Amino acid sequence: GPVLRLALPLTRDLSSDDLSALQRRLCAAVWPASSALSADSQCPWRLWAQTSAGVNVEVWNDPGANDNFGSWGPANTSDVPSASWTLEVGVLMKSNSEAALARAALTAEVNCADFAAAFPLARMARVTTQGDVGTRGRQYVAHVDAPGPVQKRGVGSRLGCASHYECGDGLFCSNWALNTWDASRARYAGAGGGCDRCETCFDGATYTLDGYCPEDKCGPRAGSAPKCWSAHSLFANYSCPDRYAINLSVVPGGGPAPPAESTPRTLRARFITPFNRLVGAVIVRQQRLQKPDTSTSLCSLRNDSISRYSATADQSRGLLCLGAAQDASWYGTDPVFAAASRLYDGKLNPADYYGPAEFSNPRTSQPFGFFPHGYDGVAQASKNSTLVVPDETNNFLLYFDERVTNVQAQRLLTFIKDGQFIDGQTQKVEVEFNTFNARVRTFSKFVISFTWQEGGAITWDYDIFSVPTYLYHGNAQRRHALEVLSMVLLGLNTLSELGDIVEALRKFQVMGYLRSWSNVLDWCHFTLMAAGWYYWFSAVRLSNTFHLDPAYQPLVSPAAQTRARLFLTDPVQEREFLQFSRDLRTIGDTLRIYSNLTSVCVILFVLRLLKALHFQPRMALVTRTIAVAFSDLVHFAALFAVVYVGYIIAGVLMFGHQYQSFSTMSDAAQFLIVILLGLDTTQFHVQLLHASPSSELYYIYLWTWVFLALFVLFNIFLAIIIEGYTTVKNSGHDARSIAMELGMVLTHEWGVLRSTVRQLMGQADADDFIHDDDLRDALVDYLKDCPVTANRALSDYASISLGNMMQIRLPSGKHLDAVGLRVVLAELDLSKAAEGNGGSPSKSPEPSADAAGVAAPQNPASAGDEAVAAAAADC
């Protein structure tokens, strides 16, 4: 039978124990435990090992360019400089096929690192004449001495082969040698192995019957060829120009024509729409999510059949789930070096455009296509912090600057598509560009965003806002005057309100002041107006410092001059352009906040005007109607909330799995109001009908909501408002109109003016008119000298001077207002009267409002007038 032979160089001799250990290990490699043959029964008489002094090993001699593929020959001292002993191993095998498999197993075993550590093997200086040790690092190769067949097979033999050792020298048993092409069926026909040249044994798993190229026949590098071969070396010294200079100035029959004068080409402005010029470049921005750690969990699934099924997903067609953090890893590919792309150019070398670290697969010379903003493609390193915009560090930015023509833009779009710019990790893509309109002196920013939802939908949105170039333009002086006037009036109004706070502190009515909704409304208005002024001056400051460069060119060069790496950016130009875009957004956001604040202030102005008109019965219909109906409205709101929330929850549970307007509680709340006010069934009927478990359930939900909300609750709400309005209207039917009150005020002021003029002229009837305030002050001074009771004086003073708001703080910390003090004084008066009659009353009589002033008057002003009249009568 065939004999498996192995010679190993040693640095020293082996003991008997070492030989026994080596024999057991090699037996386990040749006859593993999974084999049908037991190592214990076969090894003692089929495998032997012995050592001898000297070096008796072989190395592979490669003739290089000669037709002979090479052969094994004896090694000299320079091949194994540290060896002094030789270990010879022999294994008796049953067949050539068994010997081929055992040779591959034994060769792999003796080349392991732990085998070299266990036994004193000598390092070989070379295996081939080129000085390498093979791409797989093989130092030692086992050989097979096969006696049969008598006639070795050749390349032209049609008998076939069952093992490598049935073929002649320099040949191996290939599973492709006997295959023939069948043109009728367009595939290879035939089966079995045939002998073929060792040069064609590129991959043992693909080209051989047993999966291993015979290294003892074909050399140590057999079967170590890469899956793909690079053709760059074939064109290293090959020069074939693809462009030729043609002289078109030579005119037939006329001699050389003078060269035409060429004018320098100017950059044509790009307009998005008429009069709106593109500033800088169009930005395509992508945000990506990181891949999940599938070693710990996959989409937060349990370790069950669902998780195992999810783990079988094809990652190249989209990840099942993504992490929450943003990903800044390089990705994609440069389609200029991808053979399947329309941009492919086989004459370019990727090493001329990309650094060694920028390749996704160095073996295939395929570079990455897209890099984050924080990476400098020119320096092939991370950007300096001064060149990075903080908000854009991990974003992937692509630019179409204004130098790009239509044809070049098509190349850039092809680069994005073939380079796989959008893949399974894409979370959001934004298209942003800025324009300037010189006619209206306004910048505009457009941002169109596409967001990938977890459910698979891609939602889109847009954001458009304008930024005036000059905030003060045209009638700037008039605007400045109005602004100063507005700020002065705001200051006066604020001081007036601060005076009310001081008066409340003096009268111990701070909590009453704070509980008044009108005071809260006033301070909210003042605060928002002050905030509006702050944002306006901030926008003015930013607008005055805003700077615009003559041109922004973030790309290194347009696509026409760049044959690869089309989106390579200039870090300085990119930083300047992104800073311009960021400043423009800052001004726009500031102006939008200012506009929102001023619009709210206008609404608060209306509410404060309604509050100020509350004194006039006919102008206070809105405020008094709400005040009268407030209690009923609160109860109605509670009842409506019960029905509303119930239908929101039911709608989410019934339709939320399919219909987007019911996917969340907030969306369902808005859509129910839309149904209530619009009831346009063409917008939702078909979708909700299919999303509902049954059509009957859908109709019950829809019409019960319409009946309860529209026909019942809505009419109850109207009835409450109408009832309150009717009450207010009836209570003020005999009130004077605003025109009458205005006439009375004008008449009174005319009387004041006429009396003043007559006094100045010295006329006798100048004192026939007295001002209302002068009359009130005169009565108060008169009552100070009038002998009235303490109870009547206290009531008059509280009604006239303090407006029934006086309080007394007791030592215990409690407060006693005017009404309570009048009650105490009335009780004292009654007690003194009872003592004067000789006994105490069994029951305190209720003091009358006219005598003791216990009952608080509804109208302090009228009560004060009655008190003054009563005091005057007593006097």
Side-chain angles (χ1 to χ4, degrees), residues 135-417:
T135 56
R136 293 177 294 176
R138 294 291 176 85
Q139 286 279 319
Y140 320 103
V141 177
H143 297 259
V144 175
D145 292 336
V150 177
Q151 180 68 33
K152 298 291 186 179
R153 310 284 190 251
V155 176
S157 176
R158 305 301 296 174
L159 298 177
C161 57
S163 72
H164 302 301
Y165 304 102
E166 297 177 5
C167 300
D169 295 337
L171 304 177
F172 75 102
C173 189
S174 172
N175 59 359
W176 291 93
L178 295 185
N179 288 342
T180 58
W181 178 257
D182 189 349
S184 62
R185 292 186 290 177
R187 64 184 181 89
Y188 282 98
C195 297
D196 203 350
R197 296 173 61 86
C198 285
E199 293 91 331
T200 62
C201 191
F202 303 111
D203 181 14
T206 305
Y207 294 94
T208 65
L209 288 177
D210 55 7
Y212 304 96
C213 290
E215 296 167 303
D216 57 335
K217 293 172 64 64
C218 300
R221 292 187 298 171
S224 61
K227 297 290 185 181
C228 298
W229 292 83
S230 176
H232 289 295
S233 58
L234 300 177
F235 298 95
N237 300 320
Y238 180 76
S239 176
C240 178
D242 54 358
R243 292 180 176 85
Y244 298 89
I246 301 177
N247 186 5
L248 299 180
S249 62
V250 179
V251 180
E261 296 183 0
S262 60
T263 57
R265 181 183 177 185
T266 58
L267 190 64
R268 185 168 61 91
R270 300 290 178 179
F271 287 85
I272 302 298
T273 59
F275 317 124
N276 292 289
R277 178 183 177 180
L278 176 67
V279 180
V282 177
I283 306 175
V284 180
R285 179 186 296 106
Q286 180 180 168
Q287 297 177 3
R288 299 168 54 79
L289 294 179
Q290 291 181 349
K291 295 181 180 179
D293 185 5
T294 55
S295 61
T296 57
S297 63
L298 184 67
C299 299
S300 301
L301 297 175
R302 297 191 299 269
N303 187 18
D304 54 7
S305 60
I306 300 176
S307 178
R308 290 189 292 272
Y309 172 80
S310 300
T312 61
D314 184 4
Q315 300 293 310
S316 64
R317 301 190 63 182
L319 297 170
L320 286 180
C321 60
L322 298 172
Q326 189 172 351
D327 188 16
S329 303
W330 308 342
Y331 77 104
T333 182
D334 190 335
V336 176
F337 304 104
S341 173
R342 289 172 292 177
L343 299 179
Y344 176 70
D345 191 345
K347 299 179 182 179
L348 301 181
N349 186 2
D352 297 336
Y353 298 88
Y354 294 90
E358 296 176 334
F359 285 83
S360 59
N361 190 345
R363 294 185 60 187
T364 59
S365 300
Q366 188 59 55
F368 287 103
F370 307 103
F371 302 86
H373 168 67
Y375 183 76
D376 187 353
V378 177
Q380 298 180 2
S382 297
K383 286 182 180 178
N384 189 288
S385 59
T386 58
L387 299 176
V388 177
V389 177
D391 298 339
E392 305 284 359
T393 303
N394 296 329
N395 294 335
F396 292 82
L397 305 179
L398 306 180
Y399 301 93
F400 293 75
D401 67 22
E402 52 190 356
R403 295 175 295 170
V404 176
T405 63
N406 185 26
V407 176
Q408 297 165 2
Q410 293 298 325
R411 295 191 71 228
L412 295 177
L413 291 175
T414 304
F415 190 101
I416 293 176
K417 180 180 178 181

